[in-house]
Amino acid sequence: MLILYNFEKIRNLIFATHHKSIKKMKLQKIKIALLLLFSFAVKAQNMADYTDNWEGKIENSKIFSLKVAIENAGLENAVFKIYSSKESLDFPFNGKNSNFIKIPFGDNSFFEGVLSKNQNEINGFIKSGLLFYHVKLLKSKNTSFTGFWNILMVDELKSNDFYLSVENGSNDNFEAYPILGDNRFTGTWCYNFKKENDFISFSDFKTGLQFKGKLESDNIQLEIYLENLLITEIALKKSTIDWKIGGFKSDNKRSILELSQLENLISKDSLPNTHSVLISRNGKLIYENYFDGYTENVPHDLRSASKSISSAIVGIAEDKALFKSVEQSIFDFLPINYQVLKDSLKSKIDIQSLLTMSSGLDAIDYGSNANLKSPAVEDNYQKSKDWIATILNTPMINNPNRTANYGSANPYLLGVAMDSVISEPLELFIDGNLFQKLAISNYVMFTDFKGKPYFGGGMYLNSRDMLKFGELYLNNGRWKSNRILSKKWIMDSFKNYRVLENTKDKNGYGYLWWHNTYHVNGRGVESIEARGAGGQYIFVIPSLKSVIVITSGNYRNGKTQQPEIIFENYILPYLKN
């Protein structure tokens, strides 16, 4: 009614202008009325009115599984393509006379891959956001290769529910956080919130997805893009009931062992958020069970358990004589502009001290023990523009190779060192020399802000592939009769060098491997473990010739060490019988 009233008023004023006797004041009124109408028409909504919970439906469960293809491979008129259900993006490139392919498809997004020796597949990565997604493209025709990219890390969503939390709205300011009903996707890290009139936009710097929404009177029309590729559109309305997230059932148990007591406790939520339990003995899978909708195909967030994988990469590089020894100073691997940070004590920080968390730097994870308080570099380096400088500017609190304190800055420097001695892209070296040899292709790696693989943690592997990695170490560096790591490196990795002083249990520590002792029937059993926040464990038990994998989602409830209870109370007694 207000708009009609304004139009009528303006019309009457305009009609009056044909009289030559109209005065200047009336002309001014006309201008003012027109300006008011224009302002009303384009007036942007106040984001305070949209600060609420919103929900909608994703159109189909495989919408985020994108087809990827290379056509005319090996020819001058080659094309790299990414398909959504809506459209495709085409990126022509010259593919002649090169087995290495790199195609940028955004400011910080690209595909890179290597043609296999038999020319039947291309193994490579899509770099999007902070992630390297491994992609395998298989030959479908003479010069065509195709594969799929699961940008949300699950091949098919178990729920099509999509939620949006709009927060802190005021005028043009807001924050917005997408949440999926399928919580096996570990979530977005959104930023760059913008508003112009009735349009909003924001981005996820983890996956590289971009969100664009149109604000309407009682809904939000949201579009999700990858660069300029429209993936899906979702109509959002305000939520009137609580969101339904997770709660999925898994029905894919494979087992020789009978672990009914464990399964009952998990089903009753007495051992909450357990996602998978796998057990192998003598190289044979004897128990495999998944919970909360997880399956053998879903890569799990390993958090710091992937530090142990970083250790393997260092071992492979040493086995290949890409550096002299673990006694080399970290400064042997750093560019000249960082040499000014070297002093007589810091020059003694060597590869071995970084592998054993004993660099002596105040690079400590103080969150692992509430009794320790410090403004440590562990809390600050990832927020800085120059991670290397921030870490190496940190004061020394111990001599190198004397005292161990757990943290992520030490393995981060290992990644910098390995990148300096490896001639090819570090991610391709990791894939070709470790994961391809273990027949692992469904995985994702986190990067640092420079786009390099992050050695401090954050890989995504499925539970079966975690088991393969544990068996590689149990078998002294061999997998299916193939040598991947030297036996010496495995033995050195599993030594108990010193105690982690900042851990509650004062665990022993090897080359980014934890030590622990469990008890059954009054006897101790030694375990060497990869561990990650939330309860991601690979137990390697040489005395029992066994590997156990447990994945979990206990990130905020204080139960991150729950897999140790599961192993000691409900698995170890069966293995000892």
Side-chain angles (χ1 to χ4, degrees):
M1 293 297 294
L2 179 61
I3 295 178
L4 291 174
Y5 171 79
N6 283 338
F7 269 125
E8 184 68 20
K9 187 174 182 179
I10 292 166
R11 188 185 67 177
N12 290 339
L13 285 171
I14 291 174
F15 285 164
T17 61
H18 75 279
H19 299 290
K20 293 183 179 179
S21 59
I22 192 169
K23 294 182 179 181
K24 186 176 181 180
M25 186 175 293
K26 286 188 176 181
L27 288 171
Q28 289 175 337
K29 287 182 179 179
I30 294 171
K31 292 178 181 179
I32 292 170
L34 286 169
L35 182 61
L36 287 172
L37 176 62
F38 179 76
S39 298
F40 179 87
V42 299
K43 181 181 179 182
Q45 288 91 335
N46 187 338
M47 288 307 298
D49 298 331
Y50 291 85
T51 298
D52 211 326
N53 291 333
W54 299 79
E55 63 183 70
K57 290 285 187 181
I58 297 169
E59 57 190 282
N60 73 69
S61 60
K62 293 188 176 182
I63 200 74
F64 292 100
S65 182
L66 307 180
K67 181 181 176 182
V68 180
I70 292 178
E71 297 179 358
N72 300 328
L75 304 176
E76 288 184 2
N77 60 337
V79 182
F80 174 72
K81 293 188 173 187
I82 303 176
Y83 297 85
S84 72
S85 64
K86 306 290 185 183
E87 55 195 25
S88 68
L89 290 181
D90 295 358
F91 303 93
F93 68 99
N94 186 347
K96 193 174 183 180
N97 300 324
S98 177
N99 289 332
F100 172 71
I101 301 164
K102 186 167 184 178
I103 305 109
F105 59 88
D107 291 340
N108 297 301
S109 303
F110 58 83
F111 169 82
E112 63 180 1
V114 178
L115 183 65
S116 63
K117 291 182 179 179
N118 62 14
Q119 300 191 336
N120 286 331
E121 62 186 43
I122 296 172
N123 281 280
F125 295 90
I126 290 177
K127 171 66 167 58
S128 184
L130 281 179
L131 301 175
F132 272 126
Y133 296 85
H134 184 264
V135 177
K136 178 186 284 189
L137 305 181
L138 301 177
K139 181 179 281 189
S140 55
K141 296 179 182 178
N142 287 338
T143 60
S144 296
F145 294 79
T146 59
F148 286 90
W149 169 23
N150 296 321
I151 197 166
L152 299 187
M153 305 173 205
V154 294
D155 51 359
E156 183 172 8
L157 296 171
K158 285 187 172 291
S159 168
N160 286 13
D161 292 330
F162 181 94
Y163 305 111
L164 184 69
S165 174
V166 179
E167 303 175 9
N168 302 320
S170 175
N171 297 321
D172 287 349
N173 299 314
F174 73 100
E175 296 171 16
Y177 301 101
I179 299 169
L180 272 66
D182 189 339
N183 61 345
R184 297 176 304 165
F185 170 61
T186 54
T188 56
W189 298 348
C190 290
Y191 77 118
N192 198 26
F193 306 103
K194 294 180 180 179
K195 181 176 180 295
E196 185 174 351
N197 297 324
D198 55 354
F199 291 92
I200 61 172
S201 64
F202 52 96
S203 303
D204 173 26
F205 70 84
K206 185 168 82 171
T207 63
L209 289 173
Q210 297 154 18
F211 300 82
K212 299 178 182 179
K214 186 178 189 301
L215 304 174
E216 299 183 350
S217 59
D218 59 355
N219 60 75
I220 300 175
Q221 299 297 321
L222 189 69
E223 297 176 334
I224 304 178
Y225 289 84
L226 173 72
E227 299 296 336
N228 294 321
L229 179 68
L230 176 61
I231 295 177
T232 190
E233 302 167 276
I234 306 172
L236 301 175
K237 62 181 181 180
K238 285 187 178 180
S239 300
T240 57
I241 60 175
D242 291 340
W243 292 347
K244 184 179 180 181
I245 299 172
F248 310 119
K249 300 294 184 182
S250 296
D251 187 21
N252 47 6
K253 176 182 172 183
R254 301 171 182 84
S255 177
I256 296 173
L257 285 180
E258 184 62 41
L259 299 179
S260 56
Q261 184 181 10
L262 171 62
E263 292 162 9
N264 288 335
L265 289 170
I266 293 173
S267 67
K268 293 177 181 177
D269 212 28
S270 298
L271 294 168
N273 303 314
T274 299
H275 293 161
S276 72
V277 178
L278 282 74
I279 305 169
S280 71
R281 190 164 195 179
N282 296 316
K284 184 177 182 179
L285 185 62
I286 61 173
Y287 185 86
E288 179 180 21
N289 207 347
Y290 298 89
F291 310 90
D292 289 353
Y294 279 83
T295 71
E296 66 271 20
N297 297 322
V298 178
H300 203 283
D301 184 356
L302 301 192
R303 301 292 176 100
S304 288
S306 60
K307 284 181 170 69
S308 301
I309 298 174
S310 300
S311 173
I313 304 308
V314 179
I316 291 170
E318 187 190 55
D319 290 343
K320 291 180 174 294
L322 297 182
F323 64 96
K324 295 177 183 177
S325 74
V326 294
E327 283 78 35
Q328 277 186 264
S329 168
I330 183 59
F331 288 94
D332 291 353
F333 304 89
L334 298 180
I336 191 170
N337 55 303
Y338 294 107
Q339 299 301 320
V340 295
L341 303 174
K342 179 170 63 175
D343 59 32
S344 58
L345 189 55
K346 288 182 178 177
S347 66
K348 296 178 183 177
I349 299 172
D350 58 16
I351 297 299
Q352 186 173 78
S353 70
L354 298 174
L355 286 164
T356 57
M357 298 289 183
S358 55
S359 64
L361 289 163
D362 187 11
I364 300 172
D365 179 2
Y366 286 94
S368 61
N369 190 319
N371 297 322
L372 297 173
K373 303 290 184 181
S374 170
V377 67
E378 182 72 16
D379 299 324
N380 297 320
Y381 80 90
Q382 294 180 3
K383 302 174 185 177
S384 68
K385 293 183 179 180
D386 189 333
W387 292 10
I388 300 172
T390 301
I391 294 169
L392 292 177
N393 269 313
T394 303
M396 299 288 287
I397 56 175
N398 294 296
N399 288 333
N401 287 307
R402 296 282 183 86
T403 304
N405 283 287
Y406 185 83
S408 295
N410 287 306
Y412 166 70
L413 290 178
L414 286 173
V416 173
M418 294 305 100
D419 187 55
S420 74
V421 299
I422 292 169
S423 58
E424 63 186 306
L426 180 55
E427 60 275 10
L428 292 177
F429 178 87
I430 294 170
D431 184 58
N433 290 280
L434 178 63
F435 289 130
Q436 282 191 45
K437 293 185 177 181
L438 289 172
I440 294 174
S441 62
N442 181 20
Y443 69 95
V444 182
M445 288 192 288
F446 259 96
T447 72
D448 61 23
F449 288 154
K450 291 185 177 180
K452 302 290 186 180
Y454 178 55
F455 273 40
M459 284 188 180
Y460 290 73
L461 267 70
N462 66 47
S463 300
R464 285 187 175 184
D465 291 339
M466 293 170 67
L467 198 73
K468 289 179 185 178
F469 182 71
E471 289 179 340
L472 171 68
Y473 272 73
L474 181 67
N475 295 326
N476 292 314
R478 300 185 74 88
W479 171 255
K480 293 187 180 298
S481 76
N482 295 319
R483 172 67 64 187
I484 297 176
L485 278 162
S486 67
K487 184 176 180 179
K488 179 181 182 302
W489 182 262
I490 303 298
M491 294 175 63
D492 289 345
S493 297
F494 278 1
K495 287 179 182 177
N496 189 346
Y497 288 89
R498 50 192 62 87
V499 167
L500 292 171
E501 298 293 342
N502 63 330
T503 59
K504 178 182 176 182
D505 298 328
K506 296 292 188 288
N507 297 85
Y509 206 66
Y511 282 1
L512 303 183
W513 285 89
W514 296 72
H515 283 249
N516 204 4
T517 301
Y518 299 91
H519 296 88
V520 60
N521 300 326
R523 293 187 177 183
V525 176
E526 300 296 323
S527 173
I528 300 99
E529 302 164 3
R531 293 186 182 183
Q536 326 313 323
Y537 277 65
I538 304 173
F539 302 83
V540 181
I541 319 294
S543 64
L544 299 176
K545 298 181 180 179
S546 298
V547 178
I548 296 89
V549 165
I550 299 175
T551 60
S552 321
N554 292 311
Y555 299 109
R556 297 179 181 88
N557 60 5
K559 296 181 180 293
T560 193
Q561 291 180 265
Q562 180 175 276
E564 297 171 43
I565 298 171
I566 292 174
F567 173 66
E568 185 168 49
N569 294 344
Y570 306 107
I571 295 175
L572 189 55
Y574 286 88
L575 295 178
K576 286 293 288 183
N577 287 340

